[in-house]
């Protein structure tokens, strides 16, 4: 973790000499902590202090970048065990395993390319391919790699324990910057020298944390740091325990030999249970998860889970400002306006669906705040609502002029009618749960 | 270098909940974060209750209807069917009492409860329709009907906890206390409930569930924060078991209803719907729920396999 201003201040000479350009050492320390000043500006700071600051600035879990240029992915650099403490930063990479002996490599690759799904304005997809060197034949392995990259410039993990296979691919195709998987207790020396020579990330794999630590220490002593780890968990509890201990040890105890992203290879064949294990890996700290098979429903489940868990807890999830259709609304259907806080949107939309009354749902950009908060912040005001409705173009689609507003902002009724000539404002329910009864009544009374 | 396991020091331990009269079920009692077997004791596995309703459900999508439509007209047959599927507990939701539904009277609900407890041996959870005012009328009557059967009753909320908690206490039941996705609200409600004399050891927190993709991350994080506050920070009002009312939220979502023809990239509806429930459930086990209320038998099966594997295969292997 980075040092606080006070912690930095304690390391400074406290002479207030002003040579750094700041009036006091304390002011300077605060700026350094915020990243707005460099410790080098202090002529008195000792090498020891500088080393300490550098150490503190190094993330406890190393960041790793892989994949071809322009399509590269960053993983690692996570800072917490629980997302509410800060957030999870670099979403878990989902990879599909393909074997170099597979007859349908093209087909499988096409599944990866076609995996894109849009959800809440974000494009989600299978990010990478794990190519397994099942043939143990370097030229065949290289052929398969070429086949894949010629078709799609996709980030790759080279799954081979054969140094010749690794070397052959990297020698000719270095620009794809793959992750090498991996170094085992048997091949560690050769794999490290290859990873070092071509400067690609190397995954260390062994059964259990202790073995992984001793391998990582060996690699570090050879001056190489681009590492991922795999403790080869065989069951859900091994995966949960290993990943929890690795994350905890690296963040809280600063155990350097565990400060690397985790790669998890799933060995489960049952598609339901594979999905559960992948979910566990996403929730509990794996940076890369390799799946045996992908399919539409599985992708949607895992993409949604990953999107949820990697969202920023400090920033409310937002929906794009728009007039959404719920059911098949026509020119007579009711129109309801509310804010773009994702929870509000989902709840209101769900309850309109439950009412079975087709409706227009006008979602207004209020920086993702809920109705009352947005109203209090002046973002869900009469004039803004009126302007939004006017500019949305919805008037052309309707042959009525009745706008339903949330019950919590009933006090805006008159003001909105003032600013939206020709419109009548109807006060809806306070809670989304009341919408089905309200809408059914509303439609009945209008007829 | 030999690896010394970085352990946490816990100050709390959850109460154990036992319910049921003929057959009993248990959950809770652990002294560490979920499944952290390396640093705490876990006397009971999490428990899954099958949800049934007191009348034919109005909003069960096709995937659920296919499973239950032959039995859902009769809660007793429905419960027995769940038992045949391996249910260890039944959660009866008195949906017909909701004013937007049939608005049935507390006495009618009590009849349904009476019949069920006389014919079913499984431990029972009795749930209102989540209508604050109506639940305050219905739940005291059914809690009295089920007196001595040692059920779980709920949900008590800020707006109705007084009558519901008092009647649950008089009937000898455990109580689900629901607040809206906030650690402090959950704590506040438990303080209020204990202040009127209800024992803390019989409260189950419902921090408000949600479905994958629909506020999931809020429930997940609130649960984690409640567990951390209760077990690590010594907050006794938050140191009680939690329930995730999974099925109720999951089976409202579009993902459990849209066909592959409507949205081809979402893939097969059957698997998608089941796994929407299973993954939501398994995730909330990881964030701290000990009791799950679920609907689809296949989703229950997958979730159970997860629980069994978490417990069954744990050996203190050489980490």
């Amino acid at each position: 973790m980075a040092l606080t201003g006070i912690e930095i201040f304690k390391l400074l000479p406290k002479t207030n000499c002003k040579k750094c350009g700041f009036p006091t050492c304390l002011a300077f320390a605060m700026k350094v902590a915020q990243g707005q000043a460099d410790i080098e500006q202090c002529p008195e700071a000792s090498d020891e202090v500088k080393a300490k600051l550098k150490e503190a600035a190094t993330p406890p879990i190393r960041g790793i970048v892989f994949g071809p240029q322009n399509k590269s992915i960053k993983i690692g650099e996570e800072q917490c065990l629980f997302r509410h403490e800060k957030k999870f930063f670099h979403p878990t990479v989902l990879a599909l395993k393909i074997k170099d002996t597979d007859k349908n490599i093209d087909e499988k690759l096409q599944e990866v390319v076609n995996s894109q799904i849009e959800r809440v304005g974000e494009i989600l997809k299978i990010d990478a391919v794990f190519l397994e060197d099942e043939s143990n034949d370097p030229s065949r392995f290289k052929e398969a790699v070429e086949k894949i990259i010629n078709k799609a410039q996709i980030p790759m993990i080279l799954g081979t324990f054969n140094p010749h296979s690794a070397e052959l691919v990297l020698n000719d195709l270095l620009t794809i910057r793959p992750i090498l998987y991996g170094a085992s207790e048997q091949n560690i020396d050769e794999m490290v020298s290859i990873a070092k020579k071509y400067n690609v990330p190397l995954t260390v794999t062994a059964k259990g944390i202790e073995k992984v630590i001793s391998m990582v220490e060996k690699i570090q002593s050879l001056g190489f740091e681009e590492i991922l780890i795999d403790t080869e968990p065989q069951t859900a509890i091994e995966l949960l325990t290993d990943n929890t201990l690795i994350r905890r040890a690296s963040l809280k105890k600063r155990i350097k030999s565990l400060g690397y992203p985790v790669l998890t290879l799933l060995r489960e064949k049952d598609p339901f249970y594979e999905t559960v294990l992948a979910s566990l890996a996403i929730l509990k700290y794996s940076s890369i998860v390799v799946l045996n098979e992908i399919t539409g429903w599985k992708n949607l489940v895992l993409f949604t889970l990953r999107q949820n868990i990697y969202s920023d807890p400090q920033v409310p999830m937002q929906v794009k400002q728009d007039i959404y259709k719920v059911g098949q609304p026509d020119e007579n259907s009711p129109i309801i306006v509310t804010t773009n806080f994702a929870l509000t949107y989902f709840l209101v939309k769900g309850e309109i669906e439950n009412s079975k009354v087709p409706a227009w749902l006008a979602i207004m950009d209020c920086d993702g705040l809920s109705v009352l908060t947005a109203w209090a912040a002046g973002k869900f005001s009469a004039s803004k609502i009126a302007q939004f409705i006017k500019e949305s173009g919805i008037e052309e689609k309707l042959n009525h002029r009745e706008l339903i507003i949330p019950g919590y902002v009933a006090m805006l009724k008159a003001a909105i009618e003032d600013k939206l000539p020709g419109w009548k404002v109807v006060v809806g329910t306070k809670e989304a749960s009341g919408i089905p009864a309200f809408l059914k009544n509303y439609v009945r009374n209008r007829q | 270098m030999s690896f010394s396991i970085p352990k946490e020091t816990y100050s709390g331990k959850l109460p154990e909940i036992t319910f049921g009269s003929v057959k009993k079920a248990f959950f809770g009692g652990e002294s560490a974060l979920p499944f952290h077997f390396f640093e705490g004791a876990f006397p009971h596995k999490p428990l899954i209750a099958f949800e049934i309703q007191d009348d034919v459900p109005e909003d069960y999508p096709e995937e659920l209807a296919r499973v239950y439509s032959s039995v859902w007209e009769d809660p007793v047959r429905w419960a027995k069917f769940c038992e045949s599927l391996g249910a260890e507990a039944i959660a009866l939701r008195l949906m017909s009492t909701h004013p937007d539904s049939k608005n049935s009277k507390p006495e009618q609900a009590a009849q349904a409860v009476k019949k069920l407890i006389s014919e079913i041996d499984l431990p029972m959870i009795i749930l209102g329709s989540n209508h604050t005012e109506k639940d305050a009328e219905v739940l005291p009557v059914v809690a009295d009907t089920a007196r001595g059967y040692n059920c779980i009753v709920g949900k008590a909320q800020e707006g109705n906890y007084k009558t519901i908690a008092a009647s649950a206490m008089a009937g000898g039941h455990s109580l689900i206390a629901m607040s809206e996705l906030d650690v402090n609200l959950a704590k506040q409600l438990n303080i209020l409930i204990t202040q009127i004399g209800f024992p803390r050891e019989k409260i189950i927190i419902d921090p408000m569930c949600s479905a994958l993709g629909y506020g999931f991350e809020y429930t997940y994080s609130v649960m984690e924060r409640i567990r951390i506050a209760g077990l690590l920070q010594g907050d006794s009002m938050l140191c009680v078991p939690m329930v995730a009312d999974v099925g109720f939220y999951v089976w409202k979502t579009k993902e459990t209803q849209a066909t592959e023809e409507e949205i081809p990239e979402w893939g097969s509806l059957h698997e998608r719907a089941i796994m929407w429930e299973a993954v939501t459930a398994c995730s909330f086990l990881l964030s701290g729920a000990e009791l799950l209320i679920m609907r689809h038998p296949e989703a229950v099966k997958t979730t159970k396999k997860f629980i069994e594997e978490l417990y069954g295969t744990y050996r203190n292997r050489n980490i």
Side-chain angles (χ1 to χ4, degrees):
Chain A
M1 296 298 133
L3 298 181
T4 65
I6 297 296
E7 283 166 334
I8 296 169
F9 174 68
K10 285 181 187 160
L11 302 171
L12 294 177
K14 303 187 195 72
T15 51
N16 297 336
C17 71
K18 301 185 179 64
K19 284 179 191 156
C20 60
F22 294 92
T24 63
C25 288
L26 183 61
F28 176 62
M30 293 298 173
K31 290 291 174 189
V32 174
Q34 290 161 11
Q36 293 168 357
D38 188 343
I39 189 68
E40 298 292 341
Q41 289 167 253
C42 173
E44 308 282 328
S46 65
D47 286 349
E48 186 199 349
V49 175
K50 289 176 188 168
K52 234 178 177 168
L53 273 168
K54 187 165 173 262
E55 157 95 24
T58 314
I61 299 173
R62 191 180 176 88
I64 299 282
V65 177
F66 75 108
Q69 256 191 350
N70 303 328
K71 291 207 169 180
S72 65
I73 306 177
K74 186 174 194 182
I75 51 173
E77 286 186 5
E78 297 299 334
Q79 299 178 13
C80 58
L81 279 145
F82 305 100
R83 59 185 284 284
H84 67 261
E85 295 170 339
K86 203 160 207 169
K87 67 174 268 192
F88 292 166
F89 287 89
H90 298 108
T92 312
V93 168
L94 294 170
L96 175 66
K97 186 199 273 180
I98 298 179
K99 295 176 179 169
D100 66 345
T101 53
D102 280 341
K103 293 197 177 60
N104 54 350
I105 291 181
D106 281 336
E107 239 171 82
K108 290 200 154 183
L109 191 61
Q110 199 55 45
E111 285 178 32
V112 173
V113 174
N114 291 346
S115 67
Q116 290 202 359
I117 298 176
E118 194 195 326
R119 196 182 167 87
V120 208
E122 221 180 306
I123 301 286
L124 309 167
K125 60 179 191 303
I126 299 291
D127 317 274
V129 166
F130 181 102
L131 185 70
E132 185 173 273
D133 178 16
E134 172 133 301
S135 68
N136 200 25
D137 170 356
S139 56
R140 187 159 183 189
F141 187 61
K142 190 185 151 195
E143 253 171 58
V145 175
E146 281 174 334
K147 203 168 182 181
I148 290 170
I149 59 170
N150 286 338
K151 196 148 185 253
Q153 282 280 311
I154 191 162
M156 286 184 77
I157 302 149
L158 302 180
T160 181
F161 293 108
N162 182 341
H164 302 297
S165 296
E167 174 112 44
L168 188 63
V169 171
L170 291 171
N171 199 28
D172 289 353
L173 306 168
L174 191 58
T175 54
I176 63 171
R177 190 174 163 81
I179 289 173
L180 196 49
Y181 179 107
S184 65
E185 287 170 295
Q186 286 73 40
N187 69 10
I188 180 165
D189 294 322
E190 290 156 285
M191 279 299 187
V192 173
S193 69
I194 290 170
K196 240 178 129 170
K197 179 173 168 192
Y198 297 102
N199 191 27
V200 293
L202 176 65
T203 310
V204 168
T205 172
K207 182 86 189 134
I209 292 177
E210 283 208 342
K211 283 185 181 166
V212 163
I213 288 179
S214 62
M215 287 171 69
V216 169
E217 284 175 342
K218 181 169 183 185
I219 297 174
Q220 287 172 330
S221 73
L222 295 168
F224 192 67
E225 286 277 0
E226 293 282 287
I227 301 170
L228 288 89
I229 52 188
D230 172 18
T231 54
E232 299 176 18
Q234 302 296 309
T235 61
I237 192 62
E238 288 186 359
L239 175 59
L240 174 62
T241 308
D242 285 0
N243 280 8
T244 302
L245 293 176
I246 289 168
R247 176 69 64 98
R248 201 187 263 179
S250 54
L251 292 185
K252 292 198 155 181
K253 306 279 176 202
R254 280 261 178 176
I255 295 181
K256 284 194 175 146
S257 44
L258 292 175
Y260 299 97
V262 170
L263 182 149
T264 301
L265 271 181
L266 296 177
R267 291 168 177 84
E268 177 67 40
K269 295 284 178 251
D270 171 50
F272 278 6
Y273 205 61
E274 186 192 29
T275 308
V276 169
L277 292 177
S279 302
L280 166 64
I282 290 171
L283 293 169
K284 290 294 175 182
Y285 319 136
S286 293
S287 287
I288 299 180
V289 176
V290 181
L291 301 159
N292 293 304
E293 260 181 45
I294 56 171
T295 179
W297 64 264
K298 190 192 284 181
N299 295 347
L300 185 68
V301 167
L302 297 178
F303 294 169
T304 307
L305 183 76
R306 175 177 64 175
Q307 185 184 40
N308 283 178
I309 218 69
Y310 277 86
S311 62
D312 188 340
Q314 313 300 327
V315 180
M317 210 167 74
Q318 304 184 24
V319 181
K320 221 175 81 206
Q321 169 165 306
D322 208 343
I323 312 259
Y324 293 84
K325 290 180 179 179
V326 188
Q328 304 283 341
D330 58 22
E331 66 276 10
N332 298 313
S333 303
I335 173 166
I336 300 175
V337 66
T338 191
T339 73
N340 72 329
F341 177 37
L343 268 187
T344 304
Y345 166 76
F346 287 134
L347 281 171
V348 171
K349 180 165 164 274
E351 294 298 348
I352 298 176
E353 277 167 359
N354 286 344
S355 77
K356 309 262 192 302
V357 176
W360 302 94
L361 180 56
I363 293 294
M364 190 174 136
D365 185 358
C366 300
D367 294 337
L369 299 178
S370 63
V371 170
L372 267 182
T373 326
W375 169 77
K379 294 178 198 295
F380 197 55
S381 65
S383 54
K384 285 184 177 159
I385 294 171
Q387 188 188 2
F388 165 53
I389 294 295
K390 254 186 248 165
E391 290 173 1
S392 69
I394 188 68
E395 291 187 327
E396 288 157 30
K397 294 181 186 154
L398 300 175
N399 64 10
H400 70 86
R401 293 287 182 269
E402 273 190 28
L403 179 66
I404 301 171
I405 62 170
Y408 278 117
V409 290
M411 57 287 190
L412 296 180
K413 179 178 155 68
I416 297 173
E417 285 176 344
D418 248 21
K419 297 191 165 69
L420 208 52
W423 281 76
K424 183 184 156 197
V425 170
V426 176
V427 177
T429 61
K430 282 188 176 174
E431 300 297 334
S433 57
I435 289 176
F438 170 85
L439 269 185
K440 282 182 212 162
N441 254 323
Y442 172 74
V443 172
R444 205 178 305 133
N445 293 341
R446 276 210 307 179
Q447 275 165 2
Chain B
M1 174 184 137
S2 80
F3 177 61
S4 69
I5 299 176
K7 288 189 186 172
E8 289 285 358
T9 316
Y10 292 91
S11 57
K13 172 181 168 308
L14 301 180
E16 296 177 34
I17 301 271
T18 302
F19 70 117
S21 59
V22 182
K23 285 183 183 162
K24 290 192 182 348
F26 318 87
F27 57 92
E30 62 267 37
S31 61
L33 290 177
F35 313 106
H36 286 32
F37 298 109
F38 55 87
E39 56 187 4
F42 290 75
H44 304 296
K45 291 176 191 170
L47 181 74
I48 304 174
F50 275 68
E51 175 177 344
I52 66 170
Q53 300 195 355
D54 64 333
D55 206 337
V56 177
E58 291 169 6
D59 61 348
Y60 272 31
E62 181 53 32
E63 286 298 322
L64 281 179
R66 227 184 305 149
V67 181
Y68 294 120
S69 61
S70 61
V71 295
W72 67 19
E73 283 176 25
D74 175 10
V76 173
R77 274 185 64 206
W78 192 348
K80 286 192 169 155
F81 178 63
C82 293
E83 193 169 12
S84 77
L85 296 171
E88 293 166 87
I90 298 289
L92 170 70
R93 199 184 301 276
L94 299 166
M95 215 53 216
S96 78
T97 62
H98 197 287
D100 295 342
S101 177
K102 291 193 174 162
N103 201 15
S104 54
K105 294 195 158 49
E107 292 70 30
Q108 278 169 280
Q111 275 303 316
V113 168
K114 197 170 176 184
K115 211 165 156 220
L116 207 58
I117 48 183
S118 65
E119 296 199 39
I120 301 294
D121 290 341
L122 290 177
M124 292 264 300
I125 300 165
I126 305 171
L127 302 168
S129 65
N130 272 13
H131 187 278
T132 318
E133 293 86 35
K134 191 63 190 282
D135 283 358
E137 294 170 33
V138 172
L139 290 176
V141 179
V142 299
D144 186 49
T145 305
R147 184 184 290 263
Y149 279 90
N150 194 20
C151 301
I152 295 172
V153 171
K155 306 169 178 179
Q157 304 182 52
E158 196 194 347
N160 62 14
Y161 74 91
K162 278 186 188 158
T163 46
I164 296 174
S167 62
M169 191 157 55
H173 308 297
S174 297
L175 179 71
I176 296 175
M178 182 171 82
S179 46
E180 290 184 9
L181 291 173
D182 185 287
V183 185
N184 294 317
L185 290 180
K187 178 176 176 171
Q188 177 64 19
L189 182 58
N190 284 2
I191 291 173
L192 293 171
I193 288 173
T194 48
Q195 273 172 356
I196 61 170
F198 195 92
R200 180 187 71 95
E201 299 74 26
K202 295 187 88 168
I203 299 177
I204 300 146
I205 294 179
D206 181 349
M208 190 172 247
C209 198
S210 51
L212 182 60
Y214 297 86
F216 168 90
E217 67 274 29
Y218 292 87
T219 299
Y220 188 85
S221 284
V222 170
M223 283 187 161
E224 287 195 325
R225 294 179 64 184
I226 288 175
R227 270 292 155 277
I228 289 167
L231 290 173
L232 283 160
Q233 293 156 4
D235 193 329
S236 71
M237 279 301 143
L238 292 173
C239 195
V240 299
M242 281 190 286
V243 59
D245 195 356
V246 174
F248 182 77
Y249 290 90
V250 164
W251 293 96
K252 281 182 181 175
T253 65
K254 197 169 185 179
E255 284 77 359
T256 60
Q257 303 177 23
T259 61
E260 192 165 1
E261 289 70 49
E262 289 171 58
I263 311 179
E265 64 269 31
W266 283 10
S268 156
L269 167 61
H270 178 69
E271 284 90 346
R272 184 196 333 129
I274 288 170
M275 289 312 287
W276 215 259
E277 184 171 33
V279 165
T280 304
C282 291
S283 302
F284 291 148
L285 289 175
L286 293 171
S287 59
E290 286 85 7
L291 174 62
L292 302 170
I293 301 174
M294 298 179 67
R295 290 184 178 170
H296 201 291
E298 288 296 317
V300 172
K301 208 164 131 189
T302 300
T303 307
K304 236 175 161 171
K305 182 175 172 185
F306 186 54
I307 294 171
E308 292 300 325
E309 206 202 19
L310 284 170
Y311 270 76
T313 56
Y314 182 75
R315 296 177 303 277
N316 203 354
R317 73 173 175 140
N318 191 7
I319 289 167

